[in-house]
Amino acid sequence: MFSLDRWQEVLSTLARAPLRSILTAFAVAWGIFMLVFLLGMGRGLHQGAESQFADDAANSVWIFGGTTSQPYQGMPVGRRLTFTNDDYANLRGLDGIEHLTGRFFPGSGRPFGGSRTVRVGAKTQDFDVRAVHPDHLYLEKTLVKAGRYINEDDLLEKRKAAVVGIPVAQFFWGTTDVIGRSLEIGGVSFDVVGVFDDAGGDDGELQMIYVPVTTAQLAWNGADRLNALMFTVGGKSVAETQELLDVVRAKLAERQRFNPDDPQAIRVRNMLEQYESFQQIFWLIELFVTAMGAATIIAGIIGVANIMLITVKERTREIGIRKALGAPPISIVSTILQESIFLTAAAGYIGLILGVGAITGIAKLVPQNEFFGQPQIDLKVAIYANVVLVVAGAVAGFFPAYAAARVSPIEAMRDR
């Protein structure tokens, strides 16, 4: 039941030692503020790292041809390796490979694509063109928004089919309703069969046109060359992926006649290994943030316990008088507990508000980028921490209050 007299007594007690009360409240508020702030910033960093993998399948392995650094079976050192359609066929169906695709770069031969001049009527623009197999859809997390993606029939019949990104469609036609329309890529006419979006929302990935790899090899003098092989490994662990990669390397070495132990013959980008490394780093960061938050909260609890001990000690004579006048022990305990809970709850709430305000301000001031995502705070965690702090503050105040309630009134009034 609400008691105005008791609240006046609590506030009067805190006001009697303002510096001590403020410093104790500051310690509690700082603990909650740091917990909220560190959790929010940690979430922003984590989101930034996750966005690095949003465009591509995290369980994928990318293989590029390198230059041999060791002689092997009569083959010279310094031989440049280029994959072929037979390498793709040799890996297809290999146990452990979930989705497999090759890439042929029909443009300048740069590692990630190849720019080609695209024309629709009087409009021309250079766009990156990727010649791929149907499973490339899963490797790049491509989202087909209209029509379809490249399929096996396109490959077998070497169809002039193209799947364009939304910005490409809007640039040429001002709409995404473009299925069946034609565009000219490097002087070769293609029919648009699909429009895609990108799971990561990367504008660079959307400025892209996908065509069947066999069509591109035929159209742009690619013979049977593939510039890269990429596959996903399903739910395999890093160790299992490495075992599969050793098998893949051996198969490629057998066909391309290079030493499987030659570290420069092929270049491997293991996305799963990188993803796991990021996860471990952020697990350590979250552990550090939690430990720091817990440490600051414990410091606040110790501060509350100290002020309660000091308060009870200073009020021993007063408590003795109240007991002599007939005050029951429960009244004394509840008064001191109320003071402890009020102090921790009010300070914790202030810390929570300041922490949320700081995170919100940073989210507005710092634009989201690929390295630092939107800082966010899970309010449930902050509220739970506040509740724990209040309960701990109550426990911290209970023991000195209980000890005070057990003191004899005569001994209490003799206390100086």
Side-chain angles (χ1 to χ4, degrees):
M1 181 180 293
F2 178 79
S3 172
L4 180 60
D5 291 340
R6 179 170 294 177
W7 276 108
Q8 287 177 336
E9 182 182 348
V10 168
L11 295 175
S12 172
T13 303
L14 292 174
R16 242 183 277 165
L19 180 60
R20 188 172 61 201
S21 300
I22 290 173
L23 290 178
T24 302
F26 176 79
V28 174
W30 181 252
I32 292 295
F33 172 81
M34 289 302 297
L35 178 66
V36 171
F37 186 77
L38 291 175
L39 285 175
M41 298 299 286
R43 181 69 64 88
L45 284 172
H46 200 164
Q47 285 188 351
E50 289 281 354
S51 69
Q52 302 289 314
F53 297 90
D55 291 332
D56 308 315
N59 63 340
S60 62
V61 177
W62 300 22
I63 303 176
F64 303 91
T67 302
T68 58
S69 61
Q70 300 174 7
Y72 187 72
Q73 294 182 352
M75 305 301 288
V77 176
R79 186 163 49 98
R80 180 72 183 174
L81 297 181
T82 302
F83 302 127
T84 66
N85 291 338
D86 286 341
D87 288 316
Y88 168 83
N90 198 34
L91 295 182
R92 192 172 187 186
L94 180 65
D95 189 29
I97 290 182
E98 183 185 34
H99 299 293
L100 173 67
T101 181
R103 268 190 192 177
F104 166 63
F105 305 141
S108 61
R110 288 184 290 109
F112 294 99
S115 178
R116 281 276 173 179
T117 300
V118 182
R119 180 189 304 276
V120 175
K123 285 187 175 181
T124 60
Q125 177 77 30
D126 285 353
F127 287 103
D128 276 345
V129 179
R130 283 179 178 167
V132 299
H133 293 89
D135 278 1
H136 195 278
L137 174 78
Y138 305 102
L139 272 295
E140 280 287 353
K141 294 185 177 178
T142 302
L143 305 175
V144 177
K145 307 303 289 186
R148 62 173 177 82
Y149 198 66
I150 304 298
N151 61 30
E152 291 293 342
D153 289 339
D154 294 331
L155 297 180
L156 292 173
E157 299 176 13
K158 296 181 175 59
R159 292 174 178 169
K160 296 173 183 176
V163 182
V164 302
I166 290 176
V168 178
Q170 290 177 333
F171 173 79
F172 284 120
W173 298 285
T175 176
T176 56
D177 184 18
V178 297
I179 305 303
R181 302 195 186 193
S182 297
L183 74 171
E184 191 179 289
I185 305 175
V188 180
S189 179
F190 283 78
D191 294 328
V192 177
V193 299
V195 179
F196 72 90
D197 199 352
D198 184 74
D202 186 342
D203 191 57
E205 288 293 331
L206 291 172
Q207 303 275 347
M208 197 76 63
I209 299 175
Y210 290 112
V211 298
V213 64
T214 52
T215 308
Q217 288 170 337
L218 179 65
W220 295 299
N221 195 29
D224 66 344
R225 294 196 307 274
L226 293 175
N227 299 93
L229 291 167
M230 305 151 62
F231 59 87
T232 59
V233 298
K236 290 187 181 305
S237 65
V238 173
E240 291 170 335
T241 301
Q242 185 57 51
E243 291 176 2
L244 174 60
L245 187 53
D246 291 340
V247 174
V248 170
R249 181 188 289 270
K251 280 187 166 291
L252 292 174
E254 183 180 3
R255 284 209 71 263
Q256 295 275 352
R257 297 179 64 188
F258 67 84
N259 187 343
D261 296 326
D262 187 342
Q264 298 182 26
I266 59 174
R267 292 175 289 121
V268 177
R269 183 182 178 189
N270 190 337
M271 298 289 287
L272 179 63
E273 190 174 42
Q274 294 179 16
Y275 183 74
E276 291 290 331
S277 297
F278 268 108
Q279 292 298 318
Q280 289 178 3
I281 290 172
F282 281 98
W283 180 81
L284 290 174
I285 290 176
E286 288 182 1
L287 183 64
F288 172 76
V289 167
T290 303
M292 289 295 292
T296 50
I297 288 176
I298 290 172
I301 293 171
I302 293 174
V304 173
N306 284 336
I307 194 173
M308 287 298 105
L309 284 170
I310 295 171
T311 299
V312 169
K313 181 65 178 173
E314 290 177 349
R315 296 172 61 189
T316 301
R317 187 178 179 83
E318 172 196 332
I319 292 170
I321 294 173
R322 292 178 60 177
K323 290 189 69 176
L325 293 175
I330 187 65
S331 171
I332 296 170
V333 171
S334 62
T335 301
I336 296 175
L337 277 182
Q338 188 170 338
E339 182 181 326
S340 173
I341 292 172
F342 171 73
L343 185 65
T344 51
Y349 184 71
I350 292 172
L352 176 62
I353 295 297
L354 292 176
V356 172
I359 290 297
T360 304
I362 290 174
K364 289 183 178 178
L365 292 175
V366 180
Q368 189 170 355
N369 57 67
E370 58 182 334
F371 302 106
F372 188 75
Q374 196 76 6
Q376 293 178 340
I377 177 64
D378 187 348
L379 278 179
K380 286 190 295 186
V381 175
I383 292 172
Y384 289 155
N386 230 344
V387 171
V388 168
L389 192 61
V390 170
V391 172
V395 172
F398 173 77
F399 291 102
Y402 181 72
R406 289 172 56 86
V407 173
S408 164
I410 296 175
E411 292 179 2
M413 283 187 288
R414 287 176 179 169
D415 186 84
R416 295 183 181 277

